[in-house]
Amino acid sequence: MAAPTQYAPDIVKLNHSAGFFSCSTVRLAHIIKYFNENKSLPLFVDSLNQYMLYKRYNTDVTFHYYEHYNSRHENIEYTNDIDFNEDKQFTFYKDLSFDDLNPFVRKYFSPSVFVRDKIDLITNKYNIDFGSTCALFHRGNDKVTETKICTHEEKIEKAKELMDKYSNIRFMIQSDETDFIEKVKEAFPENSFCCEDEIVHVKSDPKIHVHMTNRNNIEDSAQNFLAIMIIMSRCKHLITSAGNCDLWISLYRGHTDNLIQYNDGVWN
């Protein structure tokens, strides 16, 4: 087990490392915890011991993925405690206080120049029109051990309901399960696409957590993953579930307009 997050005057030192967005959720939660307790932002956030699966050497790679917070000239003044912790991934995101959270997402999690370049490349490569696109996200495999997950068919049915309302809609598919991607393509052969060259997926297996495993281009693959999550957040419609990836698509979205979410057996 990783050592707990450590606090010192003006410093938050993070020691949690797991999946990419699990690291980010913990990072955000403890920055906010420090903010609530000290009524100010930390001067330094040490993430050397985070994102261990997404780097080749033992260096702090946070700013390969996120713009440095010191370059974000946005001071966040304390006015009230902010309600956020790691368990928020398994809630209905419509209950999150985005007015409070958005400044922290912008300051600490804005994409790096490397990721911004990939966002532009992927957007152009797949000819994505955000105004007519629905992001259809399904995090499966081992996530079933953490929360109740809807079936592929239930999520596809929600997509069909949207298509009945918006005939020109196009579905952007993102999943770690090959089965889900194949079913959506079969259901919407003319109105769907998947960033096949940029993602990793496998046949459904509750014992598997899909990671980018090629150590020679691990950071490039993770940057693609982050870029795709941000692209999905910009789509007009979003169909998702509950978990760290789902949470961060919503946090980058900055609101829950046109969000259809499944959580613990309920659609909202």
Side-chain angles (χ1 to χ4, degrees), residues 2-189:
T5 299
Q6 299 167 1
Y7 299 93
D10 300 324
I11 297 174
V12 173
K13 179 177 175 60
L14 294 143
N15 294 298
H16 168 88
S17 189
F20 187 90
F21 284 111
S22 174
C23 290
S24 297
T25 299
V26 170
R27 186 169 180 254
L28 175 60
H30 285 283
I31 291 169
I32 288 176
K33 183 174 187 289
Y34 180 99
F35 181 78
N36 288 343
E37 292 177 353
N38 294 277
K39 313 300 188 272
S40 64
L41 297 173
L43 292 180
F44 184 56
V45 179
D46 182 351
S47 295
L48 173 65
N49 294 327
Q50 289 203 291
Y51 305 102
M52 301 295 282
L53 294 168
Y54 308 95
K55 58 185 178 182
R56 289 177 289 165
Y57 309 107
N58 191 28
T59 57
D60 189 344
V61 296
T62 310
F63 307 117
H64 294 200
Y65 302 112
Y66 300 123
E67 190 175 17
H68 199 294
Y69 45 83
N70 285 342
S71 69
R72 301 292 303 182
H73 303 296
E74 180 174 2
N75 188 36
I76 304 173
E77 298 287 347
Y78 177 87
T79 57
N80 56 274
D81 275 7
I82 296 170
D83 181 20
F84 186 82
N85 57 55
E86 297 147 47
D87 292 333
K88 294 298 184 182
Q89 64 169 307
F90 297 125
T91 62
F92 283 113
Y93 305 143
K94 290 180 179 179
D95 296 332
L96 294 177
S97 177
F98 285 95
D99 287 345
D100 288 333
L101 294 172
N102 288 345
F104 288 88
V105 174
R106 287 195 300 266
K107 185 172 183 66
Y108 292 97
F109 299 91
S110 286
S112 69
V113 63
F114 310 109
V115 176
R116 293 200 300 272
D117 285 346
K118 289 180 180 297
I119 290 171
D120 291 341
L121 286 169
I122 293 169
T123 300
N124 292 329
K125 177 179 177 179
Y126 294 96
N127 193 27
I128 301 172
D129 175 6
F130 294 112
S132 61
T133 302
C134 173
L136 188 53
F137 181 71
H138 187 81
R139 167 71 166 89
N141 292 314
D142 67 316
K143 184 58 68 173
V144 72
T145 64
E146 300 178 32
T147 186
K148 186 175 182 179
I149 297 177
C150 69
T151 65
H152 297 166
E153 289 73 22
E154 287 177 287
K155 201 160 278 185
I156 290 170
E157 186 58 35
K158 289 295 178 182
K160 288 180 177 178
E161 291 175 10
L162 271 183
M163 176 160 274
D164 288 341
K165 294 180 181 178
Y166 309 99
S167 59
N168 67 332
I169 201 166
R170 188 172 179 229
F171 296 101
M172 179 180 180
I173 317 162
Q174 168 63 27
S175 181
D176 56 346
E177 292 190 338
T178 305
D179 321 41
F180 179 75
I181 295 170
E182 291 174 345
K183 288 177 184 177
V184 176
K185 284 183 174 181
E186 183 178 354
F188 307 104

